[in-house]
Amino acid sequence: MNHHRAVRLLSAYLDAELASEEMAEAQRHLADCPECRAELEGLRATRRLLGSLEAPDLPQGFAADLWSRLGRPAPGPWAWWPFWMPRPATAFAVLALDLVLVAVPAIRGHQYRLRAAEVGPDLFLRRAAQAQARDPLMDRAFVGLVFTDANLRLIGEDPRGPVR
Amino acid sequence: MARIQEQERPADPQDDRARFEALVERYGRRVYAMAYRMAGSEADAKDLAQEAFIRVWRSLSRLRPDVPLEGWLYRTVTNLFIDLLRRRRGPRIQSLDEPLATTSGELARERPDASADVERTVLGAIVDRRVQQALMSLLPDVRMVVVLADVEGYAYEEIASMMGIPVGTVKSRLHRARLALRGRLAPFRDGLEGS
C-alpha cells in the first residue's frame, strides 16, 4: 500500500471499517511510516475528543412545549386514516342522513293520505289550508296554486290574487 | 429501527400519554444533543427534537414498545435537519462533495490563548463551545456524518442507511471531517491526551 492511499484510509482503519486485507496492509504501512502513525494518533485524539462531549441538558419546559405543540391530549382512533378518505363513521352518518331525508316525507305523505281518507278530501284540504296560513314561511303563491277558491277565501286570501 | 406493529393496539389515551412521556424522558436528551451538534443552535435543536417526537406521537400506535426507538429517532432528526437546510439554503445542500470551504474565516483565525490553562477546561464549557464552532465550520452533510460517527458512535453502515448515502461516501466524508477538525482542535485535543 502506498503512502497516499494509506493516508486516505487512516480514518476507516481507526474505526476498523476496512476489509481484513486492507487492514493488514494499512498495519504494515503504519509500522514503517512514522508520518502516518502521527496522523493516526491525531485522528484518534480528535475522535476521542468528539466522543467525550457531554450531551447538553434539555431546555427548560421542553416537554411542556412539546405538549402544547401537539395541541391535543391523545391521538384519535382515526389518526392513521388518510384525511381525504371517508371514514366508516362519516360514511355511516351520511347514509343515515340520506335515509332520514327520504323517510320523513314518505311517512308524512302516507299519514296525510290516511287522514284525507278518514275525514274526506274537502275537510282535509280546508284544515291543510288553515295550517298553511298560520305558517309565516309558507309561499303564498304555492298556497294559491294548491288550494281551491273556497278554501283560500276561508283563510282570508283573495283567489284573484293580490289587489293591484 | 423500530418495526411497525401489525395488529391494532387497544387505544387508551392515558396509556399513550404515559408511554409517550416515558419515551421523551428516555430519548429526549440524546435526541436534543444530536440535533444541537448538527444544527448548532439551541432553538433549532429544540425545534428538530420536538418535531421528531411529534412524529413519534403520530406513529405511537404502530411502534412496538419492545423495540428501541433510537435509530428511528436519529434517522428522523437527520431527515428533518436535511429538510431544514433545504428550506434555508435552497439547493446548496445538493452539492455534497464540494471541497471543504472556509465557511467561517473567523474560526481559521482563532487561536487559543497561550496563557490559558487548557487542561483545566478540557471537558468544560469552553472546549465544548470550540468543538461546536469547529463542527459548524464543516459543511452540513460532512458534519452530520462526523456527529453520527464520533459523537453518537454509529457504524458506517448505520450512518449510510440513516442518511441514504453509500458507505464509501460516509468513509470519505468522515475522513475529511476529522482532518479538518484535527487542525482546528489541536490544542484541546492535546490537552485531552495529556489529561
Side-chain angles (χ1 to χ4, degrees):
Chain A
M1 184 179 284
N2 65 35
H3 177 72
H4 184 67
R5 181 167 156 71
V7 168
R8 278 194 299 122
L9 295 181
L10 280 178
S11 261
Y13 173 82
L14 180 63
D15 297 327
E17 292 265 9
L18 290 175
S20 55
E21 213 170 287
E22 280 180 318
M23 283 296 279
E25 276 184 58
Q27 213 152 13
R28 275 198 296 277
H29 177 81
L30 278 162
D32 297 335
C33 180
E35 201 185 320
C36 276
R37 282 202 298 276
E39 181 104 1
L40 183 68
E41 280 320 302
L43 292 173
R44 196 195 302 279
T46 305
R47 187 181 69 168
R48 201 185 308 138
L49 178 61
L50 289 168
S52 74
L53 291 177
E54 297 250 341
D57 286 329
L58 275 178
Q60 287 285 320
F62 181 86
D65 287 355
L66 181 56
W67 279 115
S68 71
R69 273 182 75 171
L70 282 164
R72 58 202 169 108
W78 296 105
W80 52 275
W81 195 269
F83 71 93
W84 43 266
M85 276 180 71
R87 297 169 180 180
T90 316
F92 180 78
V94 169
L95 266 178
L97 185 66
D98 285 351
L99 204 65
V100 166
L101 288 174
V102 171
V104 165
I107 292 171
R108 288 185 73 176
H110 188 65
Q111 284 177 333
Y112 289 158
R113 275 196 297 279
L114 284 177
R115 205 168 302 151
E118 199 182 327
V119 299
D122 285 343
L123 184 57
F124 175 77
L125 277 176
R126 198 172 303 149
R127 281 182 186 165
Q130 283 167 337
Q132 301 287 8
R134 282 195 296 272
D135 184 350
L137 297 177
M138 177 49 67
D139 184 357
R140 312 313 289 180
F142 173 75
V143 171
L145 198 69
V146 171
F147 297 117
T148 59
D149 289 359
N151 283 331
L152 285 176
R153 282 201 192 89
L154 191 70
I155 63 172
E157 295 278 339
D158 186 351
R160 289 166 300 179
V163 183
R164 289 168 200 274
Chain B
M1 190 187 145
R3 275 173 307 193
I4 302 299
Q5 197 173 17
E6 288 303 324
Q7 74 272 24
E8 266 302 307
R9 168 188 57 89
D12 178 353
Q14 282 308 312
D15 229 35
D16 280 348
R17 203 185 158 103
R19 195 174 148 217
F20 182 67
E21 274 168 355
L23 288 174
V24 175
E25 177 76 24
R26 182 167 170 195
Y27 297 112
R29 193 169 169 207
R30 281 197 69 187
V31 168
Y32 172 75
M34 190 191 79
Y36 175 70
R37 296 294 171 208
M38 280 188 185
S41 97
E42 287 175 11
D44 281 345
K46 185 176 166 189
D47 212 44
L48 288 170
Q50 288 192 336
E51 191 57 45
F53 278 111
I54 287 171
R55 290 179 188 213
V56 170
W57 176 255
R58 286 187 195 141
S59 340
L60 201 61
S61 61
R62 283 167 289 160
L63 296 171
R64 284 171 43 163
D66 52 325
V67 178
L69 257 188
E70 221 160 314
W72 192 88
L73 271 167
Y74 278 32
R75 184 195 297 267
T76 305
V77 172
T78 306
N79 289 331
L80 287 169
F81 180 57
I82 292 171
D83 289 348
L84 180 80
L85 290 170
R86 284 203 183 123
R87 277 203 308 275
R88 288 203 181 150
R89 299 187 192 173
R92 193 171 177 276
I93 184 75
Q94 306 285 351
S95 53
L96 292 178
D97 288 303
E98 66 190 66
L100 264 180
T102 51
T103 46
S104 163
E106 256 178 69
L107 271 163
R109 285 197 302 277
E110 243 173 46
R111 293 281 178 274
D113 187 352
S115 65
D117 189 347
V118 175
E119 282 186 12
R120 214 174 288 162
T121 56
V122 147
L123 296 173
I126 293 174
V127 172
D128 193 286
R129 209 179 66 226
R130 292 295 167 91
V131 173
Q132 187 61 36
Q133 284 174 339
L135 281 172
M136 294 313 289
S137 74
L138 303 173
L139 284 175
D141 35 70
V142 175
R143 190 191 322 144
M144 280 158 76
V145 171
V146 76
V147 166
L148 288 169
D150 288 352
V151 181
E152 301 299 334
Y154 278 99
Y156 291 12
E157 194 84 45
E158 292 170 302
I159 298 169
S161 125
M162 271 187 215
M163 293 182 64
I165 54 176
V167 174
T169 311
V170 172
K171 211 180 276 191
S172 63
R173 283 187 197 170
L174 182 58
H175 187 56
R176 250 166 52 192
R178 280 181 185 159
L179 286 180
L181 294 174
R182 187 194 55 173
R184 294 200 163 114
L185 299 174
F188 311 107
R189 198 188 66 209
D190 297 342
L192 184 75
E193 277 176 294
S195 66

